[in-house]
Amino acid sequence: MRSPQVVPDPALPSRVTVYEVGPRDGLQNEPTTVPAAVKVELVRRLLDAGLPVVEATSLVHPRWVPQLADAEEVLDALASSLGDRARDLPVLVPNQRGLERALELGLRHVAVFASATESFARRNLNRRLDEQYAMFEPVMTRARDAGMRVRAYVSMCFGDPWEGDVPVAQVVGAARRLVDLGASQVSLGDTIGVGTPGHVVALLDALNEAGLPDDVLALHAHDTYGQALANVLAALRHGVTTFDASAGGLGGCPYAESATGNLATEDLVWMLDGLGIETGVRLDRLVATSTWLAGVLGRPAPSRVVRALADG
Amino acid sequence: MRSPQVVPDPALPSRVTVYEVGPRDGLQNEPTTVPAAVKVELVRRLLDAGLPVVEATSLVHPRWVPQLADAEEVLDALASSLGDRARDLPVLVPNQRGLERALELGLRHVAVFASATESFARRNLNRRLDEQYAMFEPVMTRARDAGMRVRAYVSMCFGDPWEGDVPVAQVVGAARRLVDLGASQVSLGDTIGVGTPGHVVALLDALNEAGLPDDVLALHAHDTYGQALANVLAALRHGVTTFDASAGGLGGCPYAESATGNLATEDLVWMLDGLGIETGVRLDRLVATSTWLAGVLGRPAPSRVVRALADG
């Protein structure tokens, strides 16, 4: 299989953690709901491809995300198949009830999903912006007390479909609050994919100034406007070493109007491989996994790398 | 229409020249041949959108590129419609015969298309690598003597489908020869889109060392593996200020197996607009042009920005 010529850039980190969101964020945004057995196989294959962190599912009420209604079935099957390792797979918990289920399952890594903007807090959480922290506080405290790692997503960091521009200071405020509540990592989401590299640098500078160094941050770039990898490169040069991506570009179906445009893990790994940056990911296995899943979903993977390698 | 939040990065140049290749490189690689009147309208609309340089067509034998068989008809119509300005539109001339036609038409800017690799020189020009210079020499000398600007494309700079990796020194050798023959600008083509940002930096460093500064260079990035904008960002940071792109991603049809994957001008301009870098391009007019042309071609534009704005 074709691979990039390896030419490192000494200004960049030598190692990166790819945080795989396909089974949760990707499948949650696909129009087709896949059976639990496919989800289990997907997670298993992603781990087998060397991805160090795979967010497995979301313990959300089935009414809100019917695509992931079988979360507990999936987690049980993963525990049977992977043993203790399954307990380290991060799982999204939207609220107290979700956390209780995560605790019962013995999970060690959960994530909460916050908003940087008033509009999206209202639409997604049905709360005012400042009320979201009141909702997360008991969840995060309990998780931390139980020894869990807690990741916090912050969405709409680079733009909001209703509000337009989002001030950097507003994102810094949200990230700061979430770290104060116990988040060990904050994932900065460019939910609508409008961000550009100077914006990434300005936000990271402001977060560093507020006492949040690059090593507690992750970038969750969307490729809706084709900017994801350029933004990753800017963050990488700044010092960020964790990047979210979705296998095959799952959740960003190029034929759906509502394409969310998750950055494809393969496109990210191609760049990192070319830069000689270690990720532990085997691109050939990853491409095979996304090609298999595209067959299940009955449409080509949005990832450019997957399509180029399939053509070639 | 949605636009990116403007956040400049002081490490980057403040002004960039977008070199539009859609009417030539884009249409040449589309399966559908469009009428001359559409080509003329396309060039006119691209100029109207503020693109400072629009490569209009190729004076190649119709047998090789039937899509552009009407080159002289197009150039005549552009001269009627645009007057003297039409003479500054660059046109590809593959050989002496093409140059004679360009001279007869009073053109002031031509381009030649060279290869960095033996395999592609043989396939594209039916010549050995060193023989291509013998072919270009009289063309470039005559053009220069006539006061024309001469751009030289170098293809396969970052990888070759038959040879695999392409040594940086080999690309430097080709670029050096072409500048010695009179090229005022060398466009570094990532023809198969495999390049990554460290490779871009290493090549630019080597070219600078060989006496070719960034201001005689352009980057012609392809998005086949999703790397184009990250590579542009790396080159921009290095000091390159001319970037080739194709309106709407023309020539990189996402549904064709042979997608060449030209970087879409809109995706490039979105990033440059976000960085506050002046280009003179009006994104709204450009998107309207690509949307119109997609209608003529009967398929959506490959550009992510065009698709996102059409959806929104």
Side-chain angles (χ1 to χ4, degrees):
Chain A
M1 198 173 72
R2 187 172 286 167
S3 61
Q5 190 167 339
V6 179
V7 189
D9 180 336
L12 303 181
S14 59
R15 198 168 170 80
V16 149
T17 300
V18 178
Y19 186 109
E20 172 62 46
V21 300
R24 197 275 303 167
D25 187 10
L27 289 181
Q28 165 176 342
N29 288 296
E30 286 287 329
T32 308
T33 300
V34 302
V38 169
K39 291 168 180 160
V40 172
E41 174 74 359
L42 174 61
V43 171
R44 205 195 53 68
R45 289 183 69 148
L46 291 169
L47 293 170
D48 202 45
L51 283 154
V53 191
V54 180
E55 195 165 288
T57 186
S58 174
L59 287 164
V60 64
H61 194 287
R63 192 196 311 159
W64 305 121
V65 186
Q67 292 94 331
L68 304 181
D70 53 8
E72 293 194 50
E73 183 186 349
V74 168
L75 291 168
D76 281 340
L78 284 169
S80 299
S81 155
L82 300 170
D84 191 59
R85 189 178 180 190
R87 296 169 62 202
D88 286 318
L89 300 173
V91 169
L92 193 73
V93 293
N95 50 33
Q96 281 276 69
R97 193 186 150 81
L99 181 69
E100 294 307 325
R101 293 160 77 196
L103 287 166
E104 286 158 24
L105 290 160
L107 305 185
R108 291 187 283 245
H109 193 170
V110 292
V112 298
F113 195 82
S115 172
T117 67
E118 199 69 62
S119 306
F120 192 63
R122 201 169 291 273
R123 299 225 175 202
N124 195 52
L125 305 170
N126 197 28
R127 275 172 175 73
R128 287 208 324 271
L129 188 55
D130 55 354
E131 289 172 346
Q132 72 178 338
Y133 305 108
M135 180 175 87
F136 294 135
E137 183 164 18
V139 177
M140 293 174 76
T141 304
R142 179 100 206 269
R144 217 179 28 180
D145 289 350
M148 287 173 154
R149 292 171 65 192
V150 183
R151 159 180 259 228
Y153 287 97
V154 182
S155 51
M156 304 298 171
C157 291
F158 296 88
D160 175 290
W162 304 281
E163 300 181 21
D165 289 356
V166 175
V168 160
Q170 193 170 315
V171 181
V172 172
R176 184 72 258 176
R177 279 291 283 274
L178 291 160
V179 169
D180 291 345
L181 288 174
S184 54
Q185 185 171 68
V186 174
S187 173
L188 305 163
D190 184 8
T191 317
I192 58 172
V194 294
T196 50
H199 198 165
V200 171
V201 171
L203 177 56
L204 294 173
D205 282 347
L207 287 161
N208 291 174
E209 267 177 52
L212 302 174
D214 285 350
D215 62 8
V216 304
L217 303 172
L219 182 67
H220 184 101
H222 276 204
D223 216 17
T224 323
Y225 290 77
Q227 310 295 308
L229 267 192
N231 290 336
V232 166
L233 183 61
L236 199 54
R237 179 173 295 273
H238 197 279
V240 173
T241 55
T242 301
F243 295 95
D244 298 3
S246 177
L250 210 54
C253 180
Y255 311 113
E257 283 214 2
S258 58
T260 62
N262 268 313
L263 170 60
T265 312
E266 291 85 352
D267 298 10
L268 171 63
V269 170
W270 184 278
M271 184 175 84
L272 298 173
D273 278 357
L275 287 162
I277 295 174
E278 274 185 66
T279 62
V281 180
R282 289 269 309 264
L283 188 59
D284 54 347
R285 293 190 186 178
L286 183 55
V287 168
T289 299
S290 294
T291 304
W292 158 75
L293 192 67
V296 173
L297 292 168
R299 53 123 185 100
S303 162
R304 299 209 178 217
V305 167
V306 173
R307 282 190 275 159
L309 292 175
D311 288 349
Chain B
M1 198 173 74
R2 188 172 286 168
S3 61
Q5 190 166 339
V6 178
V7 190
D9 180 337
L12 303 180
S14 59
R15 199 170 168 78
V16 149
T17 301
V18 178
Y19 187 108
E20 171 61 46
V21 300
R24 197 274 304 167
D25 187 10
L27 289 182
Q28 166 177 341
N29 288 297
E30 285 288 328
T32 308
T33 300
V34 302
V38 169
K39 291 169 180 158
V40 172
E41 174 74 358
L42 174 61
V43 171
R44 203 194 55 67
R45 289 182 71 149
L46 291 169
L47 292 170
D48 203 45
L51 283 154
V53 191
V54 180
E55 194 165 288
T57 186
S58 175
L59 286 164
V60 64
H61 193 288
R63 192 196 309 158
W64 305 120
V65 186
Q67 292 94 331
L68 303 182
D70 54 8
E72 292 195 49
E73 184 186 348
V74 169
L75 290 169
D76 282 340
L78 285 169
S80 300
S81 155
L82 300 170
D84 191 59
R85 189 178 181 190
R87 295 170 63 204
D88 286 318
L89 300 173
V91 169
L92 193 74
V93 294
N95 49 33
Q96 281 276 71
R97 193 186 149 82
L99 181 68
E100 294 308 323
R101 294 160 78 195
L103 287 166
E104 286 158 24
L105 290 160
L107 304 186
R108 290 188 284 244
H109 193 170
V110 292
V112 298
F113 195 83
S115 173
T117 67
E118 198 70 62
S119 307
F120 193 63
R122 201 169 291 274
R123 299 225 176 202
N124 195 53
L125 306 170
N126 198 26
R127 276 172 174 73
R128 288 208 323 272
L129 188 55
D130 55 354
E131 289 173 345
Q132 71 178 339
Y133 304 109
M135 180 173 86
F136 294 135
E137 183 165 18
V139 177
M140 293 175 76
T141 303
R142 181 100 206 270
R144 218 179 26 180
D145 289 351
M148 286 173 155
R149 292 171 66 191
V150 183
R151 159 180 260 229
Y153 288 98
V154 182
S155 52
M156 304 298 171
C157 292
F158 296 89
D160 175 291
W162 303 281
E163 300 181 20
D165 290 356
V166 175
V168 160
Q170 193 170 316
V171 180
V172 172
R176 184 71 257 176
R177 281 288 285 274
L178 291 160
V179 168
D180 291 345
L181 289 174
S184 54
Q185 185 171 69
V186 174
S187 172
L188 305 163
D190 184 8
T191 316
I192 59 171
V194 293
T196 50
H199 198 166
V200 171
V201 171
L203 177 57
L204 293 173
D205 282 347
L207 287 161
N208 291 175
E209 268 177 51
L212 302 174
D214 285 351
D215 61 8
V216 304
L217 303 172
L219 182 67
H220 184 101
H222 276 204
D223 216 16
T224 323
Y225 291 77
Q227 310 295 308
L229 266 192
N231 290 336
V232 167
L233 183 61
L236 199 53
R237 179 172 296 272
H238 197 279
V240 173
T241 55
T242 300
F243 295 94
D244 298 3
S246 178
L250 210 55
C253 180
Y255 311 114
E257 283 214 0
S258 57
T260 62
N262 268 312
L263 170 61
T265 312
E266 290 85 353
D267 299 9
L268 172 63
V269 170
W270 184 278
M271 183 175 83
L272 297 173
D273 278 358
L275 287 163
I277 294 174
E278 274 186 66
T279 62
V281 179
R282 289 269 310 264
L283 188 59
D284 54 347
R285 293 190 186 178
L286 183 55
V287 168
T289 300
S290 294
T291 304
W292 158 75
L293 192 67
V296 173
L297 292 168
R299 54 126 185 97
S303 161
R304 298 208 177 216
V305 167
V306 173
R307 281 189 275 159
L309 292 175
D311 288 349

